Amino acid sequence: CAKKAKPHKDDKKDLATCRVLLAELETHQDAWPFLKPVDLKAVPGYRKVIKKPMDFSTIREKLNNSQQNNELFLCTFIIDVNLVFDNCERFNEDDSEIGRAGHNMRRFFDKRWTELLQ
Ligand SMILES: Cn1cc(C(=O)NCCN)ccc1=O
C-alpha cells in the first residue's frame, strides 16, 4: 500500500497521525463493536468463519510497539483497520446493528485517512 498511497512528502509525522486517526476511530459513536477483540467463546461461529480477527485495541498495541524507522507500520496500520471492517462485513448482515456500524466506520475512516495521510 506504500506504493498505492500518494508518496506524500513528510512521512516523519505518520506515526503520530496514525495515533490521532485511531483515537478518532475509538471515540466514534459507532465504534462499540470494534473496540475489543470479539469474544470467541460468546459469539458462535466467529472463530471458524473469521480467520484473522482484528480490533482497535489490538491495532493500538501494534502501533505502540511499532518503530517509526520500520516504514511498514503505515501499511500495516491501513491493512489492519481494513481487516476490522472486512471481518465485520463477512460476519454481519448489512442490515444489522453491527453491520451498519461497520459500514459507517469504514466510510469515516476512508474520508479521514485520505485527508490526513494522502
Ligand atoms: C465486530 N463484531 C462484534 C461483535 C460483538 O458482540 N461485540 C461485542 C460488543 N459489546 C459480534 C460480531 C462482530 O462481528
Side-chain angles (χ1 to χ4, degrees):
C1 62
K3 316 284 169 294
K4 269 183 287 165
K6 253 189 338 232
H8 63 291
K9 59 225 175 304
D10 181 3
D11 58 5
K12 267 195 323 301
K13 301 194 189 75
D14 283 353
L15 195 51
T17 306
C18 288
R19 289 203 172 100
V20 164
L21 192 35
L22 182 55
E24 291 184 7
L25 291 174
E26 289 170 324
T27 52
H28 191 287
Q29 68 167 19
D30 293 333
W32 56 273
F34 314 108
L35 294 174
K36 295 288 179 202
V38 174
D39 183 343
L40 301 179
K41 290 191 286 301
V43 182
Y46 200 85
R47 179 202 307 273
K48 180 87 176 113
V49 171
I50 300 299
K51 301 308 177 195
K52 293 166 71 178
M54 187 49 66
D55 69 283
F56 295 158
S57 71
T58 303
I59 293 172
R60 176 166 292 286
E61 280 300 302
K62 290 179 77 173
L63 263 191
N64 291 343
N65 303 335
S66 81
Q67 311 303 325
Q68 169 80 35
N69 54 32
N70 166 9
E71 76 277 4
L72 288 181
F73 77 89
L74 185 55
C75 281
T76 304
F77 176 72
I78 303 291
I79 289 166
D80 285 343
V81 172
N82 282 292
L83 181 56
V84 172
F85 303 142
D86 293 343
N87 288 345
C88 182
E89 277 205 51
R90 185 161 303 118
F91 195 77
N92 301 278
E93 295 294 328
D94 291 341
D95 185 20
S96 69
E97 184 106 35
I98 292 179
R100 261 188 307 281
H103 287 296
N104 291 347
M105 293 300 301
R106 186 200 292 278
R107 215 177 355 263
F108 174 78
F109 176 71
D110 286 347
K111 177 172 165 295
R112 287 299 285 149
W113 104 265
T114 306
E115 287 163 359
L116 295 177
L117 286 165
Q118 280 200 25

